[in-house]
Amino acid sequence: MRKQVERVGQEAVDYAVEHGDYHDVTGETRRSNRYKVDANNNLTIYNECDHAAELEANGKDVIENAALFAEQRLKEIFE
């Protein structure tokens, strides 16, 4: 189960990199997409870049749609 959740986490990070709709001059924001899986196999998708939350608040998709993508993929796998 954990390996499947980790695979979906990586897919979500890749999705965020490919589909982010913001201008990333240095590449820092795209490189800062991450996932973690806790001891209960819960998946968290996040971005470590300081200004990612500001971008999202201004209507740009940094990580939100990747999280929705991951949720859908996990439903497909485990339901």
Side-chain angles (χ1 to χ4, degrees), residues 31-47:
R31 284 192 307 270
S32 297
N33 292 314
R34 303 276 187 269
Y35 74 90
K36 65 180 173 182
V37 180
D38 69 15
N40 294 317
N41 294 320
N42 295 311
L43 178 63
T44 303
I45 308 295
Y46 62 101
N47 185 292

Side-chain angles (χ1 to χ4, degrees), residues 11-55:
E11 289 175 6
V13 166
D14 294 343
Y15 182 96
V17 168
E18 184 177 337
H19 292 76
D21 69 350
Y22 53 92
H23 187 64
D24 190 9
V25 175
T26 65
E28 177 187 0
T29 306
R30 284 187 184 357
R31 284 192 307 270
S32 297
N33 292 314
R34 303 276 187 269
Y35 74 90
K36 65 180 173 182
V37 180
D38 69 15
N40 294 317
N41 294 320
N42 295 311
L43 178 63
T44 303
I45 308 295
Y46 62 101
N47 185 292
E48 294 180 327
C49 189
D50 292 337
H51 61 275
E54 182 181 344
L55 287 169

